[in-house]
Amino acid sequence: MATDPAPNPHATAEEVQAAYSDPKLANVLYHDWEAGTYDEKWSISYDDRCITYAVDRFKAVAGDTGPYEHALELGCGTGFFLLNLMQGDVIKKGSVTDLSPGMVEVALRNARHLGLDVDGRVADAERIPYDDNTFDLVVGHAVLHHIPDVEAAMREVLRVLKPGGKFVFAGDPTNIGNFYARKLGQATWWLTTNITKAVPVLNDWRRPQEELDESSRAAALEAVVDLHTFDPDDLEKTARRAGAVEVKAVTDELSAALFGWPVRTFEAAVPREKLGFGWAMFAYRTWQNLSWVDQNIFAKVLPREVFYNVSVTGKKSS
C-alpha cells in the first residue's frame, strides 16, 4: 500500500499563492492548517450532544438509522459525522478519507480515543482508493461543496457501494442560504473586531492582531476551497446522472442559521477564555430551539430553497 503524505499545517507563502489557482491544493493547505483546532472552532464533540445531532440528521435524510455493517466517510474532516454515527449505533465499522492528510490524522486519532474500529486513507473524492462493492453506506458532512466535480465523485461513491447500498451527504450550503450566511458572518466579524478595538473597556475582548490577521488569511483561502452552493433540484439531478436511484434532497436550518452564523463568527473573533460554559449552553439551546421551529413550522410553509443546509441521499441499483 502506498504511504499517505504527511500533514502540512505551515504552508509557505509560495504554496498559499499557488493554491489560489488550484482548488485541490487549497483544500489540502486550508484543512491541514485547520485540522488541529477544527473541532474547537466548530464546537464539535463526541458526546451525547453531537451523537444526537448526527443520528437525527442522518435519520431525517436517510429515513432510517441502520445499523450498517461497513461505512465510508468521504471528506471526513476530523471524523465528526462517521464517529458520532458509530457511537449512535448507526454504523458498526468505519473507513475515512480526506484530501487533507492532517484531517485524516486527526480523524483516526479521534477514533482511537473513542475505541472505534476505523481505518483511513488520504484520498481524492473523485478517485476513491477502495475496491468496487466494498461499503454498505457512504456518508459525508459539508463535503460536496469542496469537490470540483461532484458528479464524478458520486460515480465513485456508487462504484464502491455494494448493490443496494446507500449514500447520505448532509450539511452543504444552498444557493440562497450561503448568501445570507456569508453576509451575516462578514458583518459580525467587522463589527466585533472594530468595536473591541475602538472601545477601550472592550479591548480585553479583542484577540491579538496577529491571530486576527491569521484568521483573515484563512478566511481568504476558505473562499477558494468553497467551490459550490446548491439548488436542491439540481443536486438531485446530479445524483441521478451519476447513476443513483431513489434520490431525495432535503433542506434544514433557516432561523437556526440566521442565529448560528453570527454566533460562530463572534466566537472566532474574541478570546476563547472570555466565553464560558454558560455562553456555550445559551448558544446551543437557542440553536436547538430554532432548529425545532425550522423543522416544525417554517419547513411546512416555505420553499426548501430558502433553507441553509441541503442534504441528499440515494442508492446504488441492486
Side-chain angles (χ1 to χ4, degrees):
M1 180 181 292
T3 302
D4 284 341
N8 178 22
H10 304 294
T12 65
E14 291 77 14
E15 287 173 323
V16 172
Q17 188 61 41
Y20 282 98
S21 58
D22 184 343
K24 290 186 179 181
L25 175 60
N27 265 290
V28 172
L29 297 182
Y30 174 77
H31 289 100
D32 273 5
W33 178 80
E34 286 272 39
T37 57
Y38 194 80
D39 283 350
E40 180 183 36
K41 175 181 177 179
W42 293 102
S43 299
I44 290 171
S45 61
Y46 302 90
D47 53 17
D48 287 344
R49 177 177 67 91
C50 280
I51 293 169
T52 299
Y53 172 87
V55 173
D56 287 350
R57 175 64 59 86
F58 182 91
K59 185 177 181 181
V61 183
D64 67 78
T65 55
Y68 293 85
E69 188 66 32
H70 191 187
L72 168 70
E73 182 169 16
L74 200 67
C76 63
T78 56
F80 156 73
F81 205 36
L82 180 95
L83 301 185
N84 280 311
L85 289 174
M86 292 182 74
Q87 293 191 101
D89 297 322
V90 176
I91 297 164
K92 294 182 180 179
K93 177 183 178 182
S95 299
V96 295
T97 64
D98 200 292
L99 198 60
S100 160
M103 288 296 191
V104 173
E105 182 176 81
V106 173
L108 292 176
R109 184 172 69 226
N110 285 339
R112 287 194 299 272
H113 288 167
L114 295 167
L116 298 174
D117 182 10
V118 178
D119 65 82
R121 293 295 310 276
V122 176
D124 188 328
E126 298 166 18
R127 292 184 294 276
I128 301 173
Y130 288 93
D131 293 337
D132 297 359
N133 308 318
T134 297
F135 300 100
D136 304 285
L137 172 71
V138 175
V139 300
H141 191 276
V143 62
L144 295 182
H145 68 286
H146 293 310
I147 300 172
D149 191 335
V150 175
E151 187 174 334
M154 286 192 170
R155 286 195 296 269
E156 276 289 275
V157 165
L158 293 170
R159 179 184 65 78
V160 300
L161 277 172
K162 295 176 182 177
K166 181 180 289 187
F167 63 82
V168 174
F169 291 104
D172 281 288
T174 62
N175 296 338
I176 296 172
N178 182 71
F179 174 78
Y180 60 68
R182 292 287 183 189
K183 293 299 182 184
L184 282 169
Q186 290 166 359
T188 304
W189 181 266
W190 187 90
L191 284 169
T192 304
T193 55
N194 281 281
I195 290 173
T196 53
K197 182 179 181 180
V199 181
V201 72
L202 296 178
N203 287 169
D204 287 347
W205 282 76
R206 181 176 172 81
R207 286 171 56 192
Q209 188 61 46
E210 59 271 19
E211 291 184 15
L212 294 174
D213 290 342
E214 186 176 18
S215 293
S216 295
R217 287 193 296 272
L221 198 56
E222 187 176 20
V224 181
V225 304
D226 290 347
L227 301 176
H228 308 289
T229 59
F230 298 98
D231 174 88
D233 289 340
D234 290 342
L235 187 55
E236 288 174 337
K237 292 174 184 176
T238 298
R240 292 190 184 104
R241 284 197 306 270
V245 299
E246 299 183 36
V247 175
K248 179 184 70 172
V250 299
T251 58
D252 64 275
E253 287 197 27
L254 177 57
S255 64
L258 292 170
F259 169 79
W261 272 94
V263 165
R264 283 192 290 266
T265 306
F266 173 73
E267 290 172 346
V270 303
R272 175 67 62 175
E273 63 270 15
K274 291 292 185 180
L275 304 174
F277 180 74
W279 167 267
M281 291 308 299
F282 156 74
Y284 174 61
R285 295 300 184 195
T286 303
W287 175 87
Q288 194 176 44
N289 291 333
L290 291 174
S291 293
W292 185 93
V293 171
D294 292 337
Q295 181 179 355
N296 292 280
I297 299 176
F298 290 145
K300 299 181 187 303
V301 297
L302 295 174
R304 63 180 183 170
E305 293 82 4
V306 305
F307 290 79
Y308 175 72
N309 285 318
V310 61
S311 305
V312 64
T313 186
K315 290 185 174 181
K316 180 175 181 175
S317 58
S318 298

